[in-house]
Amino acid sequence: MLLRITIQQARVGMFVHRVDGNWLDSPFWTRSFKLAQPRDLVRLRQSAITSLVIDLSKGVGPLKASSALALGGSRRVAAQRAAPTSRLPTSEERELRRAAAMLHRTTRKLRTLFETVGAGDGLDTAVVHEVVADIETAVRERPRALLTMTRLKSKDEYSYRHSVAVCALVTHFARFLSLDAQTIQNLSIAALLHDIGKITIPSELLGKPGKLTGEEMALMQTHPQASYDLLQDERDLPDLVRDLCLHHHERIDGRGYPSGLAGAAISLPLRILSICDVYDAVTSIRPYKDPWSTKTALARMSRWHGQFDPVLLLRFFQSIGVAEQDLRKAGADLGPRAA
Ligand SMILES: [Fe+2]
């Protein structure tokens, strides 16, 4: 039996079926988990989560069953949500500071890494693995803080922060889809390096706020091939990583670039990377544009017929905690799944 409870009723031994609200508000990597340790309970109470759905068949219930609410009684939960939470304000600040420190460290390493490759001195794969591990830890321990920090992108650091954010998103999404560890690792590396070819594009063009001219667009669209070329001699990198970098702007309907791949020619890892890449770009805070909310991104991206795998797109938004009614609404706008 599923039961919705307030965060104050949570106790060790409960099995959390899901947290209400956005996944990014949860300090936990997975949607369902057992509250096994007191420190897990503390982390949960220090988060922005205000209510949970627990599974009584897999763990203990609340101490006062009468004050909990079986699923379906929305009025009471609404009242509980409106009540002030006991969240410690300093905890969130601490998490944000840690995420910012990680981001600062990672951005510095990525800048050196990209510039070294651009100078023809080869890729330091040990640093790549170090950065991927750092991001994986941050997403597991403080996903909301990390993605809050990566949304804000200055002109100078856009590419690096975008790489970190996409790496975080694909790592989470691939785990959500239960992909094997090797594929997740390759996807995370590709997410970090997919736009490395942008170091060959003039910085005025990368930061141009308005619409690009035809000539500028053609130049911009050379960056996936440039990413591939810069990495082609890196024998430590699996071919899958290079292929993902080369094809991350392909579309399911064949109207992408550089090769116009379509349907089944676009692999699952590539479909994942493509969704996460665009999601981060449209939700980023830039000096010249308003970021889209997650809900707006869902509504608009699901109407871009032919760009993404429609079923996978809904799974992605499910993985970051979008409510089921919003997913159903977006699903009505989507066409049949591409081959
Ligand atoms: Fe790109």
Side-chain angles (χ1 to χ4, degrees), residues 162 194-196 198 220 223-224 227 245 248-249 257 277:
H162 172 66
H194 72 286
D195 273 343
I196 195 169
K198 282 191 177 171
M220 187 68 98
H223 80 270
S227 294
C245 293
H248 70 272
H249 284 290
Y257 60 91
D277 183 27

Side-chain angles (χ1 to χ4, degrees), residues 10 51 63 73 102 212 243 254 319:
S51 58
L63 288 176
M102 190 287 281
L212 301 185
D243 282 348
S319 81

Side-chain angles (χ1 to χ4, degrees), residues 187-260:
L187 247 173
S188 304
I189 295 173
L192 208 58
L193 301 175
H194 72 286
D195 273 343
I196 195 169
K198 282 191 177 171
I199 57 173
T200 65
I201 308 289
S203 56
E204 312 86 74
L205 189 53
L206 291 175
K208 185 177 174 182
K211 209 168 181 294
L212 301 185
T213 65
E215 196 183 359
E216 288 169 339
M217 183 61 84
L219 181 56
M220 187 68 98
Q221 291 186 347
T222 61
H223 80 270
Q225 183 66 54
S227 294
Y228 182 89
D229 293 345
L230 286 166
L231 300 173
Q232 68 175 336
D233 294 330
E234 300 299 335
R235 291 298 108 204
D236 288 346
L237 282 185
D239 289 339
L240 175 63
V241 171
R242 267 184 290 274
D243 282 348
L244 289 169
C245 293
L246 177 61
H247 295 298
H248 70 272
H249 284 290
E250 305 286 357
R251 296 168 46 117
I252 290 289
D253 61 6
R255 292 171 54 217
Y257 60 91
S259 307

